[in-house]
Structure formats: C-alpha cells, structure tokens
C-alpha cells in the first residue's frame, strides 16, 4: 500500500505527480497459501526514456526497503485497509465477500473470524516491523518484464500454440488410447425455492437551504455511507467537436484545490478511510464519496472543496493531458476501442450531443485545452442549480442534512442562466452500411453493429424491450452467444446492449470474431436478429429465463450501498419512480411472450444498422464485398 497501493503512494508521488515519468504506477501482493508474489507495474509516459523511468522506479523501491515507511503512511494504509474490508463484507459471495473471508480464515488458520485478528494486527504494525518484512522479501532477486509498443509483424497463427502453426498441424489424439470411465454419484437436484419479495430501501427526500435536492436510502448493514453529487452535464455537455473537455475537467478536480495539493487530497482520504471519485457518463457528471459514518463530516468537507474549489494548476493540467493523450492512443491501437470510438458519430451524427467519439475525446481537442478552458467548463456546469445529492447508508436524514448543509448549503448559483443540452436535435438519418477500419495483422475482426431507436430513454414501459435484448444478446445463454460461440466457435463472446441515456437510445451489438469468418459472422448475426420473432419467437424456456430468472437475480444486484446508489441514480436519470426496483418483479411477471416478441420486431431488427468492422483488410475485403452493402473506409488516426 505504501509503495504503490495508496493514492498518495511513494511511486505515484515520485513518478506520476513528481518527475512525471509515468502515466500510471501501482504495487500489490498476491498472497496464496504456500507462496505469494509482489508486483509493481508502471506505464511509462510517451516520449520518456524507459531507462530513466526504470531507474527512478528502482530508486523509490530501494529507498523504502532501506528506510521503511513512516508512521503516518502506515496509519493511512491501515485505515484504508480496514475501510475497504468493512465495505467488502456487504457482499455475501465473490472473492472478497463474507463467504470468501470466512472460508479463507477456516482454510488457512482454522478460524473463520481470523480476519478480525488480521485487521487488528495491521492496525498495530510499526514502521520497524514493516521495514524488516521489506528487507526480508524485497531484497530477493526480481524479474522485470518490459513490453514495448510497435507494429505487429506476425499473424495470429504465429503468436502462440505449438509454435509451428501454418506448417505442421497439431498431433491428432490417439483413438486407441484407453479412456478411464468417469464415475459420478447420482444426485438429485434440490428443489427451486420460491422467490421472496425484493427488499429495496425506502427513499426519503429533502432540500438544502440553497435548493439542492437530497435523497437518502437508509441501510444499516455496515457503518458506511455512499453519496453522489450529480450534475446535469455529462459527456453530452460537450458538442462533438469538443469531446473530452467535460471528462478531463472532472478528472482534474482531484488534482488539487485552492487550498490542497493532490498529495494532500489523497492523504486526507486515506486518513478518513474515505474514497472520493469523479467521472462522467453520457448525461451526468458526478463527484462520489464513500466514507465511514464516523468520519463523514470531514469527508464531506473534503468532497465539497474538490467539487467547488479546484485549482486547475498548469502542471496538473499538463500531466492530465499527457495521461489522456496516452489513453486515446491506447484506444486507437485497440480494435474494440477503435470500433467504440467510431460508432456513435456514425449512428447519431456529429451534430447530436451523443454523437462524439466518447468521453476520452479527440487528441487535437485535448492538446488545445488550457487551465482557463477547464475553469470555464467547471464554472459553467458545476453549479448548485444543476446539482442533486443522493446518499445510501447507515444514517438518518436528520443526521445527514446538517452535515450536508455545512458542506454545500452556502454554495450559491451564479446569476447567469443554467446551461442546457440539446439532446432533442434530430439524429443522423439511418442507412445501413459497412464502415471498415484497417488493423493490419489482426487475427480477429471486431464487429460493432449500431442504430438509434425511435425511443427516448425516459419513455415508460420499456421492460419488454430490455427482456427482448436479453433474449437476443445480453445474456450468456442468449441466441447470439449460443450461435456464434457455442455452435460455430467463431467468437469468444458477443453481446448486445441498449444505451442507458435520457435521449434517443442506441442499440449496439459487439462481436470480436475470427478474421476468416468476418462476413459469415455478419450474416449470422443479421439472420438471428431477423428471425426474432418472425421465424423464431420467444420459447417457454427463454421466457422463464428472462422473467423469473431475472427476478431471482435481482437481490444479488442490490447487496451493497454502492449498488443501491447506482440503481437510484439510473432511476433519476431516466425519470423512474423511487420504488422502480421493487416494482420490477411485478413488471416482469406481467410480460408474456407476445409483448417481448413485439418489442423485438419493432426495435431489434438489423435493417438500418451501421456495421463497423475493424480488421486486417487484406483478409476481410474480399469477404465483405460478398455482403452487397455500401462500404466506407475510415482511418484509425481520424478517431
């Protein structure tokens, strides 16, 4: 944690914020029963000599090994560990939930409650103890792996397997070899228990003195609170020609305020056992907080400082821009990233707020941004009359409101009118076509189908459409997955999705497929979509799976404060009532096959879909010509 696991870690402060030799760095330990390994990865900043970055990297590690951590670093690390463990215990299963935690204690220490002893020991550690452990383990020989970017010169057949693909086939299995019989005891499947009514917390409402609406769902499982300060902005606040400004501004909030540096912000979060994050989705921008209820007031004060008083210092903005440019370059080098950057401008059009390459933006836009631009973006969109606060956790409204009033009640809206987003402007006219992006030597082709539906995200009664989407592609047992993966073996996975936006919804199908089956996969996806429901309506098994099966899955989706908060924020964004989740079982049970078939027939047909294909043109061009569709070509550098 001290080396690279904290936001204020030694490696972060030295390499990312300090000398700016890296865009990201971390450290962690993977501890197993009989052995473990420690790993510290670093992404070198583009243009920096890797040898210089590695030298500094090694020096930071050597200094910590030689001198050990400070008591303050240990205290912040221990508080972070304890807060994280408390949060993990909200979940029943998973790798860090109650089940795994108790099982690990029993397996390794013969004590299911061993985690309590472990946390007490962590809290009591001294710098000398940690220094001794570092000197015992980190002075051993280490292995360094360096991955350098470059053009791929080999096809997929030469990148693994036997090492002689293309010349020598793999050996055939010996048909005469005896096969040991498999003896399995006969077991009766347990009966399926009836599903109890979904428990979803009641939502209370209030307002701060400055008009900010406050929503609270009380849950008392753990002594923590998850809270979101949401602004009606998001990536749609940028017109497509300026994509990336809003998200970069939100990223910059944590890089320093007028009274705190980024290091001080990170250290304060660790001291309080809090976690503050910022981010954007299509329609909203959010500053989020997860905090121990005992430390909520100082955590809220820190959150308010981040949201209201960002510094946008020249050095911080320059560093963030470099990191964002590296992120864009990575997306442009990745076939799935390229397809995702291409699809929205194609289906929405570049004049619609949804028609941008995504929140990361374009390199030219990011390069031109100045601290003054980010300040103007902040002042325009992050204002109390565009804000709403939603909280979930172990606190009453009577306890929460005074703390929120202290942190945010004095925030006054500027005299200028609040800005708006034109999400009701017409989208680009629909027309089916293939858009091809060359990715030389790629063993796969990435297919991304997309179209805009004549349906707003806030429209009521879309449950039948959601379930129809589950039938066709948004489920591991969906038709597309069964056909392309299980039957044909042309893909590792395929998925369809409906964009969760306020304005016109998009329908997307993503499928990375074998390069030699690019055209065949397109035909198969289109055929499966056309057949639903014309030749193949929903069958009884599918109907049961997407209705009763979905109902049975609902409790797992709301185990944590964060999951409940996410559901409430989506409900608010899409204009749903507070008790929408509790109503879902009844809504699903009221749907029959006819309703799901009707939704598929109206919205999930391939006739007007744009198909983005990212792959090696030398392998796919002749295939695509057989489809008889208009073909356009796009350059990766233009996305």
């Amino acid at each position: 944690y001290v080396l690279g696991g904290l936001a204020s870690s030694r490696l972060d402060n030295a390499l990312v914020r300090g000398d700016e030799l890296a865009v990201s760095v971390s450290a962690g330990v993977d501890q197993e029963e009989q052995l473990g390994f420690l790993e510290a990865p670093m992404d070198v900043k583009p243009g920096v000599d890797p040898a210089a970055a590695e030298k500094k990297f090694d020096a930071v590690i050597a200094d910590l090994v030689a001198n050990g951590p400070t008591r303050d670093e240990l205290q912040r690390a221990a508080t972070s560990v304890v807060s994280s463990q408390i949060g993990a215990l909200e979940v029943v299963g998973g790798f860090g939930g109650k089940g795994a935690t108790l099982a690990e204690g029993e397996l390794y220490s013969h004590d299911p409650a061993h985690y309590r002893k472990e946390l007490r020991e962590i809290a009591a550690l001294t710098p000398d103890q940690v220094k001794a452990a570092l000197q015992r383990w980190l002075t051993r020989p280490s292995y360094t792996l360096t991955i350098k970017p470059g053009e791929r010169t080999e096809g997929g057949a030469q990148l693994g397997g036997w090492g002689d693909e293309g010349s020598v086939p793999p050996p055939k299995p010996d048909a005469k070899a005896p096969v040991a019989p498999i003896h399995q005891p006969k077991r009766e499947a347990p009966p399926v228990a009836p599903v109890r009514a979904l428990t979803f917390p009641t939502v209370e409402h209030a307002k701060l003195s400055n008009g900010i609406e406050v929503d609270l769902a009380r849950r008392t499982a753990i002594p923590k609170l998850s809270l979101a300060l949401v602004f009606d902005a998001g990536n749609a606040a940028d017109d497509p020609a300026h994509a990336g400004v809003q998200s970069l501004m939100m990223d910059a909030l944590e890089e320093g305020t007028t009274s705190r540096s980024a290091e001080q912000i990170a250290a304060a979060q660790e001291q309080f056992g809090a976690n503050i994050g910022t981010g954007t989705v299509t329609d909203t921008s959010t500053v989020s907080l997860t905090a121990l209820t005992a430390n909520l007031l100082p955590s809220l004060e820190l959150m308010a400082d981040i949201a209201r008083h960002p510094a946008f210092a020249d050095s911080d903005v320059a560093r963030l821009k470099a990191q964002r440019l590296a992120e864009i370059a990575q997306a442009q080098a990745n076939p799935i990233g390229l397809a995702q950057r291409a699809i929205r401008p194609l289906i929405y059009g570049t004049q619609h707020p949804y028609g941008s390459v995504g929140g990361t933006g374009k390199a030219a836009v990011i390069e031109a941004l100045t601290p003054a631009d980010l300040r103007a973006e902040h002042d325009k969109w992050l204002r109390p009359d565009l804000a709403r606060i939603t909280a979930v956790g172990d606190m009453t409204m009577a306890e929460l409101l005074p703390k929120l009033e202290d942190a945010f009640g004095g925030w006054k809206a500027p005299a200028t009118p609040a800005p708006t987003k034109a999400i009701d402007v017409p989208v680009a006219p629909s027309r089916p076509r293939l858009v091809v992006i060359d990715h030389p030597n790629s063993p796969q082709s990435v297919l991304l189908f997309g179209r805009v539906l004549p349906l707003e995200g806030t429209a009521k009664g879309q449950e039948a459409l959601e379930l129809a989407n589950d039938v066709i592609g948004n489920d591991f047992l969906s038709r597309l997955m069964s056909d392309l993966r299980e039957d044909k073996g042309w893909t590792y996975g395929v998925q369809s999705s409906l964009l969760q936006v306020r304005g016109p919804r998009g329908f997307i199908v993503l499928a990375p497929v074998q390069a030699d089956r690019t055209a065949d996969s397109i035909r198969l996806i289109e055929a499966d979509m056309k057949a639903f429901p014309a030749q193949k309506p929903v069958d009884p098994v599918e109907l049961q799976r997407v209705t009763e099966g979905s109902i049975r899955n609902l409790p797992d989706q709301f185990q944590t404060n964060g999951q409940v908060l996410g559901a409430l924020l989506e409900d608010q964004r899409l204009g749903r009532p507070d008790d929408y989740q509790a109503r879902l079982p009844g809504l699903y049970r009221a749907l029959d096959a006819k309703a799901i078939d009707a939704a598929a027939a109206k919205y999930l047909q391939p006739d007007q879909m744009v198909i983005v294909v990212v792959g090696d043109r030398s392998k796919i061009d002749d295939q695509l010509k057989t489809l008889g569709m208009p073909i356009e070509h796009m350059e990766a550098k233009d996305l």
Side-chain angles (χ1 to χ4, degrees):
Y1 272 76
V2 172
L3 178 62
L6 297 172
S8 65
S9 73
R10 296 276 184 100
L11 289 173
D12 270 295
N13 288 341
L15 286 149
V16 179
R17 298 189 186 94
D19 293 345
E20 297 187 25
L21 301 175
V23 294
S24 68
V25 65
S26 62
V29 57
D30 185 1
Q31 184 62 56
E32 307 297 342
E33 183 176 11
Q34 296 183 11
L35 54 82
F37 70 89
L38 297 101
E39 181 181 46
M42 169 176 63
D43 289 340
V44 178
K45 182 179 178 180
V48 169
D49 179 9
E54 188 174 349
K55 182 178 179 181
K56 180 72 173 183
F57 183 81
D58 291 340
V60 174
I61 296 174
D63 178 68
L64 182 62
V65 171
N67 301 306
T70 66
R71 186 170 295 278
D72 179 64
E73 285 175 318
L74 285 190
Q75 184 179 29
R76 288 188 280 112
T79 303
S80 297
V81 171
V82 172
S83 179
S84 177
Q85 180 67 78
I86 290 172
L89 293 178
E90 282 188 285
V91 180
V92 174
F95 292 104
K98 295 183 180 74
T101 300
L102 297 174
E104 285 180 350
E106 175 63 28
L107 177 64
Y108 300 140
S109 305
H110 307 293
D111 177 13
H114 177 74
Y115 72 95
R116 296 177 179 173
K117 178 183 177 183
E118 192 173 62
L119 291 178
R120 286 195 296 268
E121 289 180 353
I122 288 174
L125 284 172
T126 67
D128 286 341
Q129 287 175 295
V130 176
K131 177 181 174 181
L134 290 168
Q135 292 181 350
R136 178 182 182 187
W137 298 109
L138 266 68
T139 54
R140 293 187 170 203
S142 63
Y143 172 75
T144 300
L145 172 66
T146 302
I147 302 173
K148 297 181 180 180
E151 293 296 324
R152 175 178 284 176
T153 58
E154 294 183 328
Q158 282 74 46
L159 296 179
W162 294 93
D164 52 9
E165 283 77 6
S167 58
V168 180
K172 295 182 178 179
D174 184 357
K176 297 180 180 179
V179 177
I182 299 175
H183 298 288
Q184 292 184 338
K186 186 177 181 179
R187 296 175 180 173
E188 294 292 334
V192 178
V195 180
R196 293 184 297 175
L198 177 68
T199 300
F200 197 82
T202 301
V203 181
E204 300 176 71
H205 303 282
K207 277 188 179 182
L208 300 184
S209 59
N210 59 358
I212 295 179
E213 292 185 65
V214 177
D215 309 295
L216 171 65
R218 191 178 185 205
R219 299 176 84 241
T220 59
I222 60 170
K224 297 187 79 170
L225 188 85
S226 294
L227 182 145
L229 173 65
V230 180
F231 298 91
D232 186 4
N235 298 326
D238 301 325
D239 63 84
H242 297 89
V245 180
Q246 179 78 194
S247 66
L248 191 71
M249 180 273 291
M250 294 299 295
D251 286 350
L253 297 184
E254 288 188 89
E255 294 302 315
T257 70
T258 53
S259 60
R260 291 181 172 96
S261 67
E263 290 87 346
Q264 290 172 324
I265 290 173
Q269 290 182 70
E270 293 152 5
Q271 180 184 0
F272 303 148
N275 184 34
I276 297 173
T278 61
T280 58
V281 293
T282 302
D283 292 307
T284 57
S285 300
T286 303
V287 182
S288 60
L289 167 70
T290 300
L292 297 165
T293 51
N295 294 336
L296 181 59
L297 185 56
S299 300
L300 282 173
E301 291 172 348
L302 177 63
M303 179 189 188
D305 191 30
I306 290 171
R308 297 179 57 187
H309 309 123
F312 299 121
D314 291 350
S315 59
D316 294 331
V317 172
R319 182 178 67 255
L320 280 178
K321 287 170 60 177
Q323 293 172 342
R324 177 61 63 83
L325 291 171
E327 185 180 351
I328 293 171
Q330 287 180 331
Q332 290 173 324
N334 181 290
I336 292 179
L338 276 173
Q340 291 172 332
R341 290 174 69 82
I343 192 65
R344 287 202 185 196
L346 290 169
I347 63 175
Y348 282 102
T350 56
Q351 301 306 308
H352 194 280
Y354 293 171
S356 74
V357 295
T360 52
K362 286 195 171 185
V365 174
I366 301 302
E367 287 171 344
L369 286 176
T370 66
D373 294 330
L374 298 184
R375 165 63 63 187
E377 185 81 359
H378 173 272
D379 293 348
K380 178 180 180 180
W381 291 100
L382 269 59
R383 40 192 287 167
D385 51 346
L386 290 178
R388 183 170 182 168
I389 296 172
T390 304
V392 179
D394 188 14
M395 189 162 285
T396 66
M397 185 67 86
E399 295 168 329
L400 177 62
L401 270 184
K403 295 178 174 61
L404 292 177
E405 188 67 37
D406 287 345
F408 298 103
W411 191 7
K412 304 302 181 185
T416 54
T420 58
K421 297 167 292 185
I423 62 175
D424 56 349
V425 302
V427 300
S430 298
R431 61 183 181 92
R433 62 200 193 275
L434 290 168
V435 178
V436 181
I437 304 172
D438 191 24
H439 198 268
N441 296 310
S442 178
Q444 283 189 321
S445 294
V446 170
L447 310 179
L448 187 54
F449 294 61
R451 63 169 290 200
V452 179
L453 304 179
L455 183 68
E456 302 288 313
T458 53
K460 309 303 181 186
Q462 298 190 43
E463 292 76 25
L465 173 59
E466 299 285 351
L467 297 187
N469 182 48
D470 289 345
V471 171
I472 191 65
N474 189 38
D475 186 89
F476 190 80
L477 298 176
S478 69
R479 294 183 181 183
L480 291 177
M481 182 71 86
S482 298
D483 210 349
L484 264 77
R485 173 185 160 123
E486 302 302 319
D487 183 42
K488 302 298 189 298
W490 297 344
T491 181
Y492 185 76
V494 55
Q495 184 175 29
S496 65
S497 58
L498 295 157
L499 301 184
Q500 300 292 338
V501 294
R502 286 179 184 162
R505 299 190 75 177
F507 174 55
I508 304 291
V509 179
L510 173 64
V513 300
Q514 289 177 210
D516 62 344
R517 292 292 187 177
T518 301
D520 291 336
S521 297
I522 292 173
R523 290 189 186 95
L524 187 59
I525 291 171
E526 289 190 325
D528 282 346
M529 293 169 66
K530 287 179 180 177
F532 181 29
Q535 290 82 41
K536 191 177 179 182
V538 173
D539 64 40
V541 173
E542 289 173 325
L543 179 62
Q544 189 278 336
R545 186 178 74 245
V546 299
T547 53
E548 286 299 322
S550 296
I551 292 168
R552 291 178 182 276
N553 282 329
L554 284 174
D556 284 348
Q557 297 176 27
F558 306 120
Q559 293 185 78
T560 69
N561 290 344
Q563 289 174 319
V564 173
L565 178 61
L568 292 177
L569 295 181
E570 182 175 288
D571 291 344
Q572 292 169 8
R573 194 165 63 246
L574 301 181
R576 298 167 176 165
D578 294 337
D579 62 347
Y580 178 75
Q581 312 302 331
R583 294 183 186 183
L584 262 181
L587 294 173
Y588 285 162
R589 289 193 177 104
L591 294 171
D592 57 14
K594 184 177 180 181
I596 295 173
D597 287 341
K602 185 174 183 179
Y603 297 115
L604 304 186
Q605 298 307 302
D607 302 333
Q608 298 300 317
M609 298 193 86
V610 176
I611 306 172
V612 176
V613 184
V614 184
D616 187 339
R617 286 190 58 189
S618 68
K619 298 177 182 177
I620 65 176
D621 273 2
D622 289 343
Q623 296 180 56
L624 297 179
K625 291 175 184 176
T626 67
L627 296 172
M629 295 179 65
I631 299 177
E632 303 170 15
H633 295 97
M634 186 177 290
E635 296 292 330
K637 63 181 177 61
D638 295 330
L639 292 172

